[in-house]
Structures are given as C-alpha cells and as structure tokens.
DNA sequence: GCTGCTCTGC
C-alpha cells in the first residue's frame, strides 16, 4: 500500500514542577503549578491571609486551578470560590462551565450558561466552545441550535474553535451529514476539525467514511495526529482493513509513538478484530504500562477470535496485577464465560461486580443474564433480570432465548407478552427467540401465530432465520410433509441451514424419502458436514436399511468430508478441561478412561443398555460399544464424578448435539450417582435429574 | 486558556 508519510506534529512535554517554597508575593504562575489539593489549600490560605484574594485577577486564577488543573477535587471547592466572586466575568463563567462539563455534570453547565445570559454577562469567544461541549455530552441538539443563533448574534460565526465545537455537537448527535456539511464549508481546518469529523463518523458507525476521509487526508497531505489514528484504527478493525491497519502500525513504530497507550490499545483492538489476535498479544505484551482499557481490549480480542480459553487465562493473569477491571472488562469476560459455560469464573465476576458496587448497566446485566442462561442457571438469570434498573430489547431477547434453550418455552412466551405490554418493541432477533421457544416446547399453533404476527403487528419482514424456525417447529412436531411444502413455498431461497433442519426432523420421525431429498439439497447448496451424512445414515438404520446406512457412512470417508470432532468442556476451579472423543490429550486421560469404564459398568447394572445405532455400523459390536462409551461427554462426566464432591451439579458444554446413547446414559448416571447433570449441546440444554431429562426426550 | 481520544451484550 503506497501512502505518503505526512509530517507528524511534534509532541510537547510539560514537566510538572513541585512547589518547594512560598514566594512573598505569589504570582499567578505559582497557582498553575499546583498539582494537588494540598498545594492549592496552602496557597488559598495564604491569599486569604494577605487579603490578595480580593484581587479579582488573583481570585480567578485560584478558580482556574481549582476547577481545571487539579484532578479529583471535591465538587464544592471551585463552586465556593466562584460564589464568593463579587462580579464574575465571562472568564470565570467559562471556567465553571468547563468544570461542570469535565465533571460529567453538563446539565449544571447549561444552567450556569443560562444564569450568565440572565445576568447580562457578555459571552466571549471561549464561552461557546465550552457550552457546546456540554451540549455534545447531553446530545442536546435543540439547545445547540439555540446557541448557534447566539454565536451568529455575537459575531463568532467565523471563530475556528466555535465552529469546531459546533461540528462536534452535530457529530455527537448522530447528524453526520450536517457535520460533514459544516466541515466541507470551512475555509480552514485544523487537525481537531478533522478529528471531530472522524469521531462523528465513528460514533455513528460510518466506518467506510472514516477510512475514506483518512485517505483524503493523506492525499491532501494534511497532518494528522494520534487521535486521528485511534479513530481510523477503530474503523479498520470493524472493516477488517488489515492493510491500512498495518500501515498505521508501521507508522507508529517508525515515529516512536508506542509510548501512547491509547494508540497501542487501538492497534491491539484492530489486530484482534482482523483475526490477528497473536499479533495483538505481542503488542499487548510489549506495552510498558497496561491500563484497564488495554486489558479489556485484549480479553475481548480473544473472545472475538473465539479463543475463550485464552481469554479466561488472561483474566487469571490480570487478577494477579493491581488492575481494577471495570464494567466493560466484565462484559468481555462474561462473554467468554458464557460461550464456554464457565459458571465458576462467571460467578466470580458477579460477586466482584457486587463487591465493588459496580453499576448494573444494561450491557453488564444482559451479559450476566446471558452467562447464567448459557450455563443452565435459569433462576440466577431471572434474579439478575429483576434487579436490573433498566432493560432494553436485548435484555428481553436474551431472556426469552435463554428460557427457550433451557426447555422453558411457555415461560419464555410469557415474558414475550409482558415485554410487549411494557411497550418494548421486539425486533427480528426477539422473534427468532420466540419462535425458538415454540419449537423447543412443541407449540405448533402458537408458532404459526407468532410467525404471522411479526409482519402484521410489528412490521418485521420474516428473514431466513425465521423461516428456519418455522421449519424446525413443523418438523419437530412431526409435520414433515407440511415443513417440506413450507420450504418450497418460501418467498426467499432456502439455504443449507433450512434443509439441514428438515433433515434432523426426518431423523427423529424416520422419514427416509424427504430425508434423502433434504441431504441432496444441503450438498447442492454448500459442502455438507459429516454430521449431515450421519443423520441420513441414522435414518436408514432406524428403518432397518443397514446396507444403505453403511453406504452413506462410507461416503464420508471416500469423499474426504471433514469430520467435526466431538468436544466436551468442563470447568473445575476456574480451569477449563477439554475432552475429545477417544483422545488422550488430557493429562489425566488414563484415570479418566478408568473412571469412565467404572461409570458405565455401574449404570449397566442399573439397567442401561448401550444403544449402538449411532455408532459406526461396520464395526464389531464390542468395538461399537467401546466407541460410544468414549464419546467426549461421557469422558467429561466421568471426570466430573471423580473430581467433585458428591451431590455437586456437573455442568458440561459440548460442541455437537447429544446423541441418543449419551442421552440415555446420562439419565441413568444422574440416578445412579445421585447427581444433577446439566449438558449444553449446540442447540439447547438438558437438565438431567433422577433419571429423567428436562427436554422430555424431545430434542 | 477553548474543540477531538481506545475496550461492551443477540
């Protein structure tokens, strides 16, 4: 990629000076060197003693130090100085407006601006950028427009700072076109002007525009700075623009900018989102100081790359540092916990959130609910839901989908009705969740009703996912012919997922003819998985056509179709243990195999009969039995039995669907060993207890 | 002296 390297503005460094002694005649300069509230208190006392405080210029400098220069100052300190001013001028008001905006009280800033106008204090050129920033924070477009009128009235319409701030206001309110209009009309643009435009595009998710504008900037040989690069990197990540991202990385290296944590964190984020998480990790490891944002970015980077185990390993490293994670960090951690089904780590996050009294934001609350629902802890999820001070359509959707997956379809539908009653408008994802609930609960007529309602009552056009849900509803309930007709009459082209869904229903209801046609359609639309062939093979086996069953199985080998190895995961003391079918990768695999054998012996005594119809049909009976007894979830359950104390619930997460034999075996295990076992497969949950399963053998 | 700054859930 050929870019010209524009000149990069030099950084200015100001070395902080400690106040060591007190001059007899304090100059305002001293005040600006105050770094702590203690310094300020000393000077303040001195000014009162010497009555210098009554000098308006001195008092104003004191106010500036208190309001702007000292971090973490109590709110009332600058307020009390301001209130003692006899006749505050525009400069004093400006300082206070900036102070309130800085301290996240933009409302107070606007009130003060009103007071300023009422007291007929004439605003100066510094007033408008300050007050517009307060409006930006509040997304107060109306107020901003009134201020625009005042800017023109007082003749600051050509002031660069005022126009920049105005541009920033439009940008932050999502009015990117208006902002761009202002931008294009400006005779001169500073780097801040460009950055305001970038940040507006970024805030509205206009990633292409960010990259386009940056290329224009390079063409015009306009100097950019670190803030520009942060915005552009964010866009590169979303667009997977790895080439531009790498170019920026080179630029950062060449210009010695790796000391800027925000910039390097943006690089980490960009590389993660472009799928180059190892490069991201290298940069992260090289950072001299890693703040909580850097940790959050790296943890979420692993999550987005589906490398959840590494995400949680990094969390354990972070716990050993002094870094205080925030709500944002917690959301990323919870996401990985939820995917893995890592309930222990997730519960640690929850207790940490409570201990630190973190705000239960919509995002955090929803992520917590998602964790509990994906770990099969429905009660905990509902408790979080009830405690959330505000909920949005995501929160409701997560709850409905989660209940559906946990076999509580009717409850899920109940929550959908209360959501509508509370005037939360469902979106298309909500309807996927609702239809899923109908499918898991076997509610055919309700499903038809919701499908019809989404377009009629909510103006949502059904998408391929919704059609897929309907096929699943009809197929699972045994209406195979109707499902087949439904697919043929769909107004959109069916995809492989749709046909795969019907194929799975044909397996349950032993429909050979439509099963064969479904597989043909899957193969026609995309390269089929081994699982698709196994489904058809099992259909043949279930109606006694063993030769056909073997033939289809052999096709997998002959045609070199990739097999997805079965994998089950169990968490123990925060460590994720993975088991694959018939593998011995796990460090304790000998012990695990022995435990599995014992477990199988015990349940056989209690009446379990191996069901080998899902095993390789060309194998000898003994081999078949041994092969199915080494399915990954049996290994994981056996490991759980020997490593946890009696009575503890065993939680397994697996990547494929549960096979018939494992389902039967697990029911028996739950009875013989008196354990609750929760298995999350790729579609839904199975809660095993006392020899039965929450899915009522319908999955 | 003012304006722009990275990490989040289906």
């Amino acid at each position: 990629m050929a870019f010209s390297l524009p000149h990069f503005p030099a950084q200015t460094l100001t070395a902080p000076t400690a106040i060591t002694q007190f001059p007899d005649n304090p100059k305002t300069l001293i005040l600006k060197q105050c770094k702590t509230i203690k310094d300020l208190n000393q000077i303040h006392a001195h000014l009162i003693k010497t009555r210098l405080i009554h000098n308006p210029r001195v008092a104003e400098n004191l106010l500036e130090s208190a309001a702007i220069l000292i971090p973490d100052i109590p709110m009332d300190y600058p307020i009390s100085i301001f209130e003692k001013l006899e006749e505050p001028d525009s400069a004093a008001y400006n300082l206070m407006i900036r102070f309130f905006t800085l301290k996240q009280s933009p409302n107070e800033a606007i009130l003060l601006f009103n007071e300023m106008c009422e007291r007929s204090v004439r605003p100066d050129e510094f007033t408008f950028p300050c007050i517009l920033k307060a409006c930006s924070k509040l997304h107060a477009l109306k107020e901003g427009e009134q201020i625009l009128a005042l800017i023109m009235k007082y003749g600051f319409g050509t002031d660069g700072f005022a126009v920049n701030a105005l541009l920033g206001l439009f940008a932050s309110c999502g009015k990117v076109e208006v902002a761009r209009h202002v931008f294009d009309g400006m005779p001169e643009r500073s780097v801040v002007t460009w950055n305001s435009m970038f940040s507006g595009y970024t805030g509205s998710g206009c990633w292409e525009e960010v990259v386009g504008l940056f290329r224009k900037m390079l063409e015009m040989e306009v100097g950019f700075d670190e803030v520009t690069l942060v915005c552009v990197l964010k866009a590169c990540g979303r667009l997977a623009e790895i080439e531009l991202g790498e170019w920026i990385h080179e630029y950062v290296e060449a210009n010695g900018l790796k000391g800027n944590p925000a910039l390097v964190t943006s690089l980490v984020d960009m590389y993660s989102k472009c799928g180059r998480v190892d490069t991201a990790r290298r940069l992260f490891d090289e950072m001299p100081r890693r703040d909580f944002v850097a940790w959050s970015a790296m943890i979420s980077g692993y999550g987005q790359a589906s490398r959840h185990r590494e995400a949680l390993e990094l969390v354990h490293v972070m716990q050993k540092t002094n870094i205080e994670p925030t709500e944002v960090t917690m959301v990323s951690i919870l996401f990985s916990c939820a995917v893995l089904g890592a309930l222990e780590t997730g519960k640690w996050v929850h207790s940490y959130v409570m201990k630190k009294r973190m705000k239960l934001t919509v995002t955090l609350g929803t992520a917590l609910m998602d964790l509990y629902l994906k770990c099969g802890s429905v009660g905990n999820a509902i408790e979080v839901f009830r405690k959330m001070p505000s909920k949005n359509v995501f929160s409701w959707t997560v709850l409905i989908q989660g209940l559906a997956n946990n076999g509580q379809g009717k409850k899920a539908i109940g929550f959908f009705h209360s959501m509508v009653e509370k005037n939360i408008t469902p979106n298309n994802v909500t309807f996927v969740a609702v239809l899923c609930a109908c499918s898991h609960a076997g509610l055919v007529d309700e499903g038809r009703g919701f499908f019809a309602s989404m377009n009629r009552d909510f103006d949502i056009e059904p998408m391929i996912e919704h059609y897929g849900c309907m096929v699943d509803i009809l197929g699972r309930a045994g209406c195979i012919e109707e499902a087949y007709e439904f697919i043929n009459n769909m107004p959109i082209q069916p995809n492989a997922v749709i046909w795969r869904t019907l194929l799975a229903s044909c397996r349950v209801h032993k429909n050979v003819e439509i099963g064969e046609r479904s597989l043909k359609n899957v193969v026609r639309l995309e390269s089929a998985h081994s699982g698709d062939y196994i489904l058809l093979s099992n259909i043949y086996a279930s109606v006694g056509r063993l030769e056909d069953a073997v033939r289809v199985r052999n096709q997998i080998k002959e045609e070199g179709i990739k097999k997805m190895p079965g994998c089950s995961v169990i968490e123990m003391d925060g460590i994720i243990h993975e088991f694959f079918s018939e593998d011995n990768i796990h460090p304790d695999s000998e012990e695990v195999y022995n435990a599995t054998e014992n477990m199988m012996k015990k349940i056989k005594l209690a009446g379990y009969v191996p069901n080998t119809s899902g095993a390789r049909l060309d194998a000898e009976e003994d081999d078949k039995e041994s092969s199915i007894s080494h399915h990954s979830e049996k290994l994981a359950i056996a490991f759980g039995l020997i490593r946890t104390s009696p009575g503890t619930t065993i939680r397994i997460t697996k990547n494929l669907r549960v096979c018939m034999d494992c389902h039967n075996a697990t029911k028996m295990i739950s009875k013989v060993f008196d354990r609750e076992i929760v298995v999350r497969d790729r579609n839904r949950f199975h809660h095993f207890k006392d020899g039965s399963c929450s899915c009522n053998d319908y999955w």
Side-chain angles (χ1 to χ4, degrees):
Chain A
M1 184 134 310
F3 289 115
S4 57
L5 283 169
H7 169 71
F8 200 84
Q11 274 179 283
T12 47
L13 276 177
T14 40
T17 322
I19 298 169
T20 46
Q21 60 163 11
F22 227 94
D24 293 334
N25 200 359
K27 300 243 162 57
T28 55
L29 186 67
I30 302 288
L31 275 164
K32 295 202 175 157
Q33 291 175 356
C34 287
K35 277 189 307 171
T36 65
I37 182 148
K38 224 177 134 193
D39 294 340
L40 191 73
N41 272 326
Q42 262 185 308
I43 300 177
H44 195 174
H46 185 83
L47 293 177
I48 292 171
K49 215 163 66 189
T50 55
R51 303 180 61 78
L52 271 165
I53 190 89
H54 298 294
N55 176 335
R57 273 199 54 75
V58 172
E60 215 159 83
N61 276 291
L62 181 73
L63 179 64
E64 181 181 358
S65 295
I68 311 291
L69 300 177
I70 314 248
D72 304 320
I73 198 155
M75 285 295 278
D76 52 358
Y77 198 139
I79 295 174
S80 76
I81 299 174
F82 179 74
E83 281 170 349
K84 288 196 184 79
L85 295 176
E86 277 160 33
E87 267 184 51
D89 60 3
S90 64
Y93 273 106
N94 295 348
L95 284 170
M96 286 308 286
I97 290 171
R98 272 175 76 199
F99 168 72
F100 283 126
T101 310
L102 201 70
K103 296 289 176 194
Q104 313 301 338
S105 310
N107 270 320
E108 303 285 326
I110 290 180
L111 287 176
L112 199 65
F113 178 72
N114 282 339
E115 184 191 307
M116 183 178 177
C117 296
E118 277 163 18
R119 292 227 219 150
S120 307
V121 179
R122 195 186 160 83
D124 61 20
E125 74 260 43
F126 298 117
T127 311
F128 292 109
C130 296
I131 192 66
L132 283 170
K133 185 175 172 123
C135 293
S136 295
K137 284 213 164 160
L138 287 168
H139 304 295
L141 201 56
K142 270 233 171 74
E143 288 79 356
E145 276 164 358
Q146 289 167 9
I147 288 163
L148 174 60
L150 289 173
I151 291 175
M152 304 319 274
K153 180 181 152 194
Y154 287 103
F156 295 120
T158 53
D159 178 75
F161 284 105
V163 181
N164 272 346
L166 195 65
L167 171 65
L169 172 73
F170 288 130
S172 71
C173 294
K175 300 276 172 198
V176 280
E177 279 111 24
V178 182
R180 184 58 188 257
H181 186 74
V182 175
F183 178 88
D184 287 336
M186 287 169 78
E188 272 180 48
R189 304 182 193 105
S190 69
V191 81
V192 177
T193 315
W194 286 85
N195 289 347
S196 303
M197 200 58 237
F198 279 120
S199 130
Y201 280 140
T202 301
S204 298
C206 306
W207 313 115
E208 283 94 356
E209 282 80 356
V210 172
V211 170
L213 195 64
F214 185 63
R215 293 193 197 280
K216 194 170 170 185
M217 207 175 178
L218 295 175
E219 252 168 52
M220 293 169 68
E221 300 191 9
V222 179
F224 53 82
D225 68 3
E226 284 125 301
V227 178
T228 323
L229 296 180
V230 165
C231 288
V232 179
L233 283 171
K234 187 169 175 169
C236 289
R238 309 295 160 132
L239 297 170
E241 274 270 2
I242 185 74
E243 286 181 7
L244 180 55
E246 279 180 323
W247 180 84
I248 294 175
H249 184 185
E250 278 168 36
Y251 184 91
V252 168
E253 296 275 0
N255 290 275
L257 297 173
K258 281 186 78 181
N260 180 334
L263 192 49
V264 181
T265 302
S266 299
L267 281 169
V268 167
D269 180 51
M270 181 277 296
Y271 275 121
S272 302
K273 288 203 166 72
C274 292
R276 296 261 301 269
V277 70
D278 295 309
T279 312
R281 179 60 191 264
R282 231 170 298 135
L283 276 165
F284 175 80
D285 285 338
E286 283 167 20
M287 288 176 81
R289 280 179 300 109
R290 285 179 282 263
D291 64 358
F292 64 91
V293 183
W295 284 92
S296 304
M298 196 62 240
I299 292 167
S300 92
Y302 277 123
Q304 287 166 57
S306 295
R307 284 165 57 171
H308 305 287
R309 241 176 49 168
E310 284 151 287
L312 296 194
E313 276 162 20
L314 197 63
V315 172
H316 290 133
V317 179
M318 185 185 69
Q319 283 173 288
K320 293 187 190 106
T321 69
N322 293 326
I323 297 295
E324 294 251 324
T326 65
E327 294 103 275
V328 178
T329 326
M330 292 313 188
V331 172
S332 301
I333 301 173
L334 286 168
F335 176 64
S336 285
C337 289
V339 175
L340 288 171
L343 185 60
E344 283 179 38
T345 308
K347 278 191 166 164
W348 169 80
V349 172
H350 195 177
S351 58
Y352 190 92
V353 164
M354 308 279 271
K355 202 174 79 192
K356 294 279 173 184
R357 296 177 186 282
M358 280 184 188
K359 233 176 99 187
L360 193 61
T361 57
V362 184
T363 315
L364 180 57
T366 307
L368 268 171
M369 282 168 49
D370 194 41
L371 164 88
Y372 283 124
L373 290 163
K374 286 212 169 84
C375 290
S377 297
V378 173
N380 284 330
I382 291 179
E383 201 186 317
V384 173
F385 183 75
R386 303 237 186 263
K387 279 187 185 150
M388 283 167 67
S390 64
K391 312 167 178 78
N392 62 12
V393 62
F394 288 111
S395 327
W396 287 89
T397 302
V398 164
L399 181 64
I400 293 166
Q401 179 77 58
L403 287 169
N405 290 341
N406 280 281
Q408 302 190 20
K410 285 192 177 134
K411 209 170 185 173
I413 290 166
F415 273 106
F416 175 75
H417 289 308
S418 25
M419 166 182 180
V420 174
E421 269 168 34
K422 290 192 161 60
N423 283 322
I424 312 274
T425 311
N427 63 21
N428 58 334
V429 186
T430 318
F431 272 101
V432 172
V434 172
L435 293 172
C436 246
C438 295
S439 149
H440 286 320
L443 301 168
V444 183
D445 289 335
E446 285 85 345
R448 285 198 188 98
F450 285 123
F451 189 81
S453 146
M454 58 187 285
N455 198 344
R456 184 188 60 218
D457 305 327
F458 298 95
D459 203 23
I460 300 171
E461 199 63 46
M463 304 191 305
I464 193 90
E465 290 86 347
H466 303 104
Y467 286 99
C469 288
M470 274 316 289
V471 172
D472 197 43
I473 290 172
L474 295 169
R476 270 176 206 271
C479 315
I480 304 284
E481 271 86 16
E482 192 185 340
Y484 185 71
E485 282 303 302
F486 182 84
I487 296 177
N488 286 328
N489 292 325
M490 274 168 55
I492 40 180
Q493 280 295 314
N495 59 14
V497 180
I498 298 261
W499 289 110
R500 196 171 280 136
T501 306
L502 186 61
L503 179 59
S505 298
C506 291
R507 159 76 181 96
V508 176
H509 297 286
K510 303 178 184 172
N511 190 318
V512 175
E513 200 201 328
I514 296 186
E516 285 170 339
R517 275 188 251 167
S518 302
L519 182 62
K520 265 189 200 142
N521 279 305
V522 173
V523 174
R524 184 173 54 84
L525 289 163
E526 67 177 43
S527 58
H529 309 159
S530 60
D532 303 329
Y533 288 89
I534 290 171
L535 278 172
L536 184 61
S537 167
N538 287 346
I539 296 174
Y540 286 130
S542 69
V543 295
R545 287 170 60 176
L546 293 183
E547 270 173 37
D548 286 320
V550 173
R551 178 179 51 81
V552 174
R553 287 247 165 192
N554 288 340
Q555 250 180 305
I556 298 173
K557 218 183 282 171
E558 284 156 17
E559 293 175 21
I561 293 152
K562 229 179 121 191
K563 278 195 198 174
M564 165 99 84
C567 171
S568 294
V569 167
I570 182 168
E571 183 194 31
M572 222 162 271
D573 300 323
I575 294 172
I576 307 295
H577 299 264
E578 276 177 336
F579 294 92
F580 292 89
S581 293
E582 297 190 75
D583 83 353
N584 37 22
I585 290 169
H586 193 273
D588 304 324
S589 75
E590 206 185 310
E591 197 189 345
V592 172
Y593 274 84
N594 287 336
T596 310
E597 218 153 281
N598 282 335
M599 177 178 86
M600 298 310 285
K601 264 186 208 154
K602 276 197 184 153
I603 60 169
K604 267 191 213 164
L605 287 175
Y608 154 80
V609 181
N611 174 346
T612 52
S613 73
R616 296 197 324 271
L617 291 149
D618 51 343
E620 295 294 324
E621 253 340 282
D622 276 3
D623 283 353
K624 277 188 200 173
E625 196 183 315
S626 142
S627 152
I628 57 166
S629 72
H630 294 157
H631 276 175
S632 66
E633 67 205 87
K634 294 200 183 84
L635 300 178
I637 291 171
F639 183 71
L641 283 175
I642 56 169
R643 287 297 164 84
T644 58
S645 46
T648 315
T649 300
I650 296 175
R651 294 170 191 280
I652 310 284
T653 303
K654 68 167 297 174
N655 63 338
L656 305 175
R657 284 169 49 144
V658 181
C659 81
M660 188 72 84
D661 181 68
C662 283
H663 199 264
N664 282 336
T666 312
K667 282 200 285 190
M668 201 57 98
I669 295 165
S670 74
K671 192 173 173 183
V672 172
F673 292 86
D674 191 24
R675 295 277 196 129
E676 274 188 64
I677 301 170
V678 181
V679 178
R680 176 177 123 194
D681 74 13
R682 65 178 300 144
N683 281 337
R684 61 172 300 142
F685 276 92
H686 302 267
H687 294 253
F688 297 94
K689 197 183 172 186
D690 295 330
S692 59
C693 177
S694 63
C695 75
N696 289 323
D697 303 332
Y698 186 90
W699 80 95

